[in-house]
Amino acid sequence: MGFYFVQFLTGLASASALFLVASGLSIIFGVTRIVNFAHGAFYMLGAYIAFTLTERLSGAFGFWGGILIAALAVAVIGVIVEMLLLRRIYSSPELFQLLATFGLTLMVEDLVVLIWGPDDLLGRRAPGFRGAVEMFGQNVPSYDLFMIVLGPVVLGILWLLFHRTRWGILVRAATQDRDMVAALGVNQKWLFTSVFGAGVFLAALGGALQIPRDAVHHALDLRIIVEVFVVVVIGGLGSITGAFVAAVLVAELNAFGILILPKVSIVLVFLVMAVVLIVRPYGLFGKPEAVARKTPGLSVRPWAPFTRNERIACLVGVALAALLPLVAGNYALTVGAEIAIFVIFAASLHFLMSVGGLASFGHAAYFGLGAYGVAFLAKLAGLPMILCLALGPLLGLAGAAIFGFFAVQLSGVYFAMLTLAFAQIVWSIAFQWVPVTGGDNGILGIWPEQWAAGPARFYWLSLGIAVAVVSILRIIVFSPFGYALRGTRDSLLRSESIGIDAKRIQWTAFVIAGTAAGIGGSLFAYLKGSVFPDNIGIGLSVDALVMVLLGGVETVSGAVIGAIVFKALSIWLVSQTDWSKLILGGVIVLIVVAFPKGIVGMIETWRHSWRARSDAPSAKPAGLAASQPEGAE
Amino acid sequence: MSEAPRLLFVEGLNKSYGGVHAVRNVSFSVAPGEILALIGPNGAGKTTCFNMLNGQTPADSGRVVLRGQDISGKQPREVWRLGVGRTFQITATYASMTVRENVQVALISFQSKLYSMLNATQRFASDEADRLLGLVGMEGYAARPCGELAYGDLKRLELALALANDPKLLLMDEPTAGMAPRERVELMRMTAQIAREKEIGVLFTEHDMDVVFEHADRIIVLNRGSIISEGSPDQVRNDPQVKAVYLGDGLVFGQHAEAHA
Ligand SMILES: Nc1ncnc2c1ncn2[C@@H]1O[C@H](COP(=O)(O)OP(=O)(O)O)[C@@H](O)[C@H]1O
Ligand SMILES: [Mg+2]
């Protein structure tokens, strides 16, 4: 009994830290609509800086002062980031800010290693809370008790801030209706900056306060960010109370899950999140989105199939790629095959995101399922390679059919989070069902047969399949189905009122995208000769997102270029430098600022303005025309 | 009521939002080819009525019968398949497509080709799409990006979309709002002509009383969710209750009366 009680208290203490970070993320999203991927990085920075300060400064004042100064310092960094980077990209397509903050996260991960080294750092104990208190014959660290009290106190302070100060009331108003605040003449720029600073402060404070409980290390950011996303989504975006309740729920699930259901402990929170989202699509305390989001696709010209010249250019490009084995060595060809596989993967996500408007944060699930499909067929059933390649992706199809059915009931960030949850569920099955999947050790020895063996042959195989998949996806984009799908993205209302079953269309698209990703995964299994749970991991899902956004989410096939650039750059950087994440992150941030429509989107804009130079001056800016007040007399 | 064949028959519709009784016991019917105006001040419940007719909003109680079939509780897309086209007060079109493509999507849906994946849309029913655009006077706009259209043109595009399924009943919520006066008359003239030719019943809401009195066969006046008057334009024009409502609301009649005087 006592043991369970103490476990419960430990959970509550973790919940407080989780709540701090989650409330920050929630506030930022509520007002700026930015999904701040760098929130985990700010949390980690808070922990590192607090570690240094509390080591340098002595005494109780030094400790608590150090924690506070660390959080403030990181908040200042956050404000600088907002002013220099985010301000430039608020009007970019939805989720583009995610790419920017992802780039920042990569940079911070390398920077902390540069500054503090790669080893775990053990922080100082908190003065006044070094000991333990005995309860039910068990020792409870007194610092845990401090944290347990801190959570509700911060909740109270935030409540006062949001209900009793002018700034807080503005923030709440902006969370409900951003246009209204703009109309009231509030300086939106500074409101955004201050909100971002406050959110980052909370994240960094959460990180700093963790140092007496936990070692500081350079992977803290990813660990916390996923958990915090989960908390915010379960609680309901923009709801502080929701974040608190969800933080307690998640922390207790973690604390007890490991005792009661050790087999599925990792996946428990994701299961709960999936159930919450299916039952309450806007989280426990969230409200439906009041304001319609900006329609993507407005900043580029309407899509059109390739002209004859463009088709020739593509053929030439493919022909040149096919000639690569004449000049390149084995290593380059293996890299080439890997890039081709990621082109398939990125193109499949791009189809879902740009045509369907559905940004999946867990697309690696279907890539990984394709890979495991091949592994099962090849190793367990011993089927020939050609059959494995043909049937393996069906596992991706099946997964997409099941999960997609639930996912398409939601949209926007909630869709993203539900897909993330599903991917985590698949990942943990691969990780924990050891007798079948080999768990962490994966399944080894999946080698191509003679006809596809050798770097050149395998490269040609991958290239051929990539060209086929991308072409078919492109054909679908311009088919009646593709238009219907794009219609559901542009206007659900219109689609439903002209007889289109939007959910079914989106579900079909999800299955197509999942199958295509599975094809990529099948090839990947043969390329590597093995499959691992990593092939389903969050990292891979994020890579796919980055490739899509980098290429340009508002283009037809931008992901092809995005995948080539991103994959080539990251493989090359890893081989050249120890600080590849720092450089890659920097490049991503630069591209975000310099090419707000992605690489391909930018090229298309240039080409268009080049051609249209002689045309009549263009009509009204898009969007303005459509947002006139109703019934104006 | 008369024995004239009824296209749409609405009986005892009710809808409340919290404390607001938006629509109260509304009953009326529409005959084929008839143009019926639903008027009333802002907030009278006109849009809510429309939303209940095409299944956008579930009614609290009441019945909607289309050509003898009870369609209460059906989804908008099912109602559409039964021959009801609709335009929106706040336009809903596909901003990332060209004008012609917008109409093509409606035609794709009408011809049940939504899951056709390997054909090009470019050639799909493009003649039919252009014909529909011609009906609303937009043949010259077919290749324009929809996101660039002026508001009045979006309204006309909405009409073309609503006509794509060869509807028996058209629901038009403030079809001319935001248009210049001449455009309004033109749009309603077009609508009336199409309706008469194809025997389409039209139910529309409108603030411009010139448009209403010129084109409506019959008028229903809604105030605070209830029907307060119903009849021919002349009957409604001379109804003291209607005058009172409109005088209280900002003199829509008065302005025109003065202008005509
Ligand atoms: N979704 C809704 N939620 C709450 N109240 C609503 C909603 N839709 C309409 N109302 C209310 O119902 C009443 C009728 O609105 P509406 O049908 O839009 O009027 P009209 O179209 O005649 O201007 C108004 O008081 C409006 O505030
Ligand atoms: Mg209305």
Side-chain angles (χ1 to χ4, degrees), chain A residues 59 92 128 167 230 259 263 380 449 459 542 572 608:
Chain A
S92 301
W167 178 81
V230 171
L259 301 177
K263 277 274 175 213
L380 304 182
E449 285 165 16
Y459 169 76
V542 172
W572 182 73
H608 176 59

Side-chain angles (χ1 to χ4, degrees), chain A residues 630, chain B residues 46-47 89 173-174:
Chain A
E630 55 178 287
Chain B
K46 304 181 297 288
T47 300
Q89 180 172 352
D173 198 357
E174 307 211 2

Side-chain angles (χ1 to χ4, degrees), chain A residues 478 483 493-494 498 625 633, chain B residues 56 92 101 109 121 149 158 207:
Chain A
F478 290 106
Y483 274 84
L493 189 61
R494 171 49 68 193
I498 54 172
E633 278 285 353
Chain B
Q56 207 90 41
E101 287 166 351
S109 174
T121 303
L149 291 186
E158 285 230 316
H207 276 291

Side-chain angles (χ1 to χ4, degrees), chain A residues 94-95 296 348-360 489 544-545 548-549 553:
Chain A
E94 196 185 341
L95 288 182
S348 69
L349 177 63
H350 188 264
F351 176 76
L352 197 58
M353 275 177 79
S354 68
V355 193
L358 299 166
S360 167
R489 179 200 78 181
L545 275 173
V548 170
L549 293 168
V553 72

Side-chain angles (χ1 to χ4, degrees), chain A residues 105-339:
Chain A
T105 304
L106 285 180
M107 293 173 75
V108 170
E109 276 179 13
D110 263 2
L111 278 175
V112 295
V113 177
L114 261 173
I115 299 171
W116 285 279
D119 298 329
D120 286 14
L121 304 175
L122 282 176
R124 167 147 96 92
R125 289 292 179 87
F129 298 95
R130 290 207 172 86
V133 180
E134 212 192 279
M135 287 181 176
F136 299 103
Q138 304 266 338
N139 281 333
V140 182
S142 53
Y143 190 74
D144 276 10
L145 297 178
F146 164 76
M147 288 298 287
I148 292 171
V149 175
L150 185 74
V153 168
V154 171
L155 177 65
I157 293 174
L158 287 177
W159 192 89
L160 285 177
L161 197 62
F162 286 127
H163 289 85
R164 293 283 178 271
T165 68
R166 186 180 134 75
W167 178 81
I169 290 165
L170 277 177
V171 168
R172 281 196 305 140
T175 304
Q176 267 150 30
D177 185 349
R178 284 202 292 167
D179 299 336
M180 192 184 78
V181 177
L184 286 175
V186 173
N187 189 332
Q188 210 170 343
K189 251 187 186 171
W190 287 104
L191 186 67
F192 278 28
T193 307
S194 60
V195 163
F196 196 80
V200 170
F201 175 81
L202 287 169
L205 188 64
L209 285 169
Q210 277 299 81
I211 57 172
R213 299 186 82 216
D214 234 342
V216 183
H217 58 87
H218 57 92
L220 274 183
D221 57 342
L222 283 188
R223 208 186 65 190
I224 192 89
I225 191 69
V226 174
E227 229 163 57
V228 166
F229 274 149
V230 171
V231 167
V232 168
V233 166
I234 290 181
L237 283 165
S239 164
I240 303 291
T241 319
F244 186 81
V245 173
V248 172
L249 184 67
V250 166
E252 293 300 347
L253 277 174
N254 280 335
F256 285 99
I258 199 99
L259 301 177
I260 301 164
L261 297 162
K263 277 274 175 213
V264 294
S265 64
I266 308 177
V267 80
L268 207 52
V269 285
F270 290 99
L271 271 174
V272 170
M273 171 162 105
V275 171
V276 166
L277 282 183
I278 290 167
V279 179
R280 285 190 62 96
Y282 300 99
L284 294 176
F285 290 78
K287 294 195 191 78
E289 284 277 307
V291 193
R293 300 287 198 75
K294 197 183 92 182
T295 316
L298 283 182
S299 65
V300 287
R301 296 175 37 71
W303 292 347
F306 280 140
T307 60
R308 211 170 135 259
N309 285 347
E310 286 165 338
R311 208 171 304 150
I312 291 172
C314 288
L315 283 175
V316 170
V318 170
L320 285 178
L323 292 177
L324 193 67
L326 299 184
V327 291
N330 284 350
Y331 173 70
L333 289 178
T334 309
V335 170
E338 185 163 347
I339 290 176

